[in-house]
């Protein structure tokens, strides 16, 4: 069974940084693209970023470009999201998800339980 | 960005009902729409991809259809376990965008 477990969230002041982690098990991590999706109470779900299985391709939504960095350590089966220059509008629950990007499919078929990030002074 | 407009925002249903919800894209997304279910306190769960392809393990009382800009998701014989928020997602062009969701509630 695929398990994705996020960690690293919490309360942080505006302008500060935080690093979210997503530990994966039950899958050959290096075979899969991975994604970060966030859920903002007033705005619903937002697709934030993705990274290719080898880590050589990444993509970010415009509002986080230059502030967020997605990376992975395939030897540790762990996905990361470095979030810098945090803003109040980054307050959300952040989910990591496995992205199936082959065989004509492009879906997020397994999700973590989510980690809460609150940006407030 | 492509805007996905879901309707209705919420539905009050009874067990055994047939429910239909819609998702309209602000531009042509082909068949690149997925549907997710999110129950209270849980993460989203994939139900359909490519508009009408049922994901592994999804009961056949759920169906998806549509292409272009208009998509429909139907649940036949709704069960209590189906109470959730349902989201559509377009995966045609970046950034992928979700609809705001349709919430199913019991009457």
């Amino acid at each position: 069974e695929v398990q994705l477990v996020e960690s690293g969230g919490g309360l942080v002041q505006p302008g500060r940084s935080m690093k979210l982690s997503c530990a994966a098990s039950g899958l050959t991590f290096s075979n899969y693209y991975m994604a970060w999706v966030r859920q903002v109470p007033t705005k619903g779900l937002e697709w934030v970023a993705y990274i290719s299985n080898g880590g050589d391709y990444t993509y970010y939504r415009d509002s986080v470009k230059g502030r967020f960095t997605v990376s992975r350590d395939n030897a540790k089966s762990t996905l990361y999201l470095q979030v810098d220059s945090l803003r109040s509008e980054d307050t959300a629950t952040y989910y990591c998800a496995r992205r199936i990007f082959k065989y004509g499919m492009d879906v997020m078929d397994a999700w973590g339980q989510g980690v809460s990030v609150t940006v407030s002074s | 960005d492509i805007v996905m407009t879901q309707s209705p925002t919420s539905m009050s249903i009874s067990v055994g009902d047939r429910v239909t919800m819609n998702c309209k894209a602000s531009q042509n997304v082909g068949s690149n729409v997925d549907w997710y279910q999110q129950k209270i306190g849980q993460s989203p769960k994939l139900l359909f991809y490519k508009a009408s392809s049922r994901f592994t393990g999804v009961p056949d009382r759920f169906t998806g259809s549509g292409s272009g800009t208009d998509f429909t998701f139907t649940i036949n014989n709704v069960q209590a376990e189906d109470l959730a928020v349902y989201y559509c997602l377009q995966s045609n062009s970046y950034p992928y965008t979700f609809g705001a969701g349709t919430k199913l509630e019991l009457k």
Side-chain angles (χ1 to χ4, degrees):
Chain A
E1 180 194 359
V2 175
Q3 279 204 313
L4 302 172
V5 180
E6 301 96 336
S7 60
L11 174 64
V12 62
Q13 292 179 326
R16 303 296 290 267
S17 298
M18 179 177 275
K19 189 168 188 175
L20 307 181
S21 300
C22 170
S25 60
L27 73 163
T28 303
F29 184 70
S30 59
N31 286 353
Y32 295 96
Y33 280 49
M34 297 294 293
W36 286 98
V37 176
R38 67 186 180 185
Q39 188 160 30
V40 180
T42 57
K43 289 185 65 180
L45 292 161
E46 285 188 341
W47 204 85
V48 174
Y50 87 80
I51 186 167
S52 60
N53 58 319
D56 43 351
Y57 294 108
T58 57
Y59 177 86
Y60 303 91
R61 65 180 300 110
D62 282 351
S63 61
V64 307
K65 235 177 249 183
R67 300 188 300 120
F68 288 17
T69 304
V70 59
S71 62
R72 62 192 297 158
D73 185 334
N74 285 342
K76 295 182 177 179
S77 297
T78 302
L79 175 72
Y80 302 102
L81 186 68
Q82 176 70 40
V83 295
D84 298 325
S85 302
L86 279 160
R87 306 168 180 170
S88 58
E89 56 263 36
D90 296 319
T91 294
T93 296
Y94 286 74
Y95 295 99
C96 68
R98 180 174 74 171
R99 185 180 177 192
I100 303 289
F101 191 47
K102 53 185 176 181
Y103 311 130
M105 296 175 70
D106 182 5
V107 298
M108 292 174 286
D109 75 322
W111 296 60
Q113 85 287 353
V115 62
S116 178
V117 173
T118 302
V119 183
S120 175
S121 54
Chain B
D1 297 2
I2 296 174
V3 177
M4 303 295 284
T5 302
Q6 285 189 248
S7 61
T9 304
S10 63
M11 304 178 73
S12 293
I13 56 94
S14 299
V15 172
D17 282 354
R18 180 176 189 265
V19 301
T20 297
M21 59 191 75
N22 302 290
C23 186
K24 188 172 184 68
S26 60
Q27 58 187 271
N28 190 337
V29 295
S31 61
N32 298 306
V33 167
D34 310 322
W35 289 91
Y36 288 85
Q37 175 194 64
Q38 187 177 30
K39 297 181 179 179
I40 293 176
Q42 297 185 15
S43 53
K45 174 186 170 184
L46 175 66
L47 298 181
F48 278 82
Y49 62 98
K50 295 291 188 189
S52 60
S53 296
R54 192 177 292 109
F55 191 62
T56 306
V58 175
D60 60 8
R61 66 176 182 276
F62 294 93
T63 58
S65 63
S67 66
T69 60
D70 294 290
F71 300 85
T72 299
F73 180 77
T74 299
I75 312 173
N76 290 297
N77 187 22
V78 168
Q79 302 297 300
E81 69 209 46
D82 300 334
L83 297 179
V85 181
Y86 293 84
Y87 295 95
C88 59
L89 166 72
Q90 68 82 17
S91 54
N92 188 68
S93 60
Y94 295 123
Y96 292 177
T97 45
F98 289 88
T102 293
K103 184 176 184 180
L104 289 192
E105 301 170 301
L106 271 180
K107 275 183 187 167

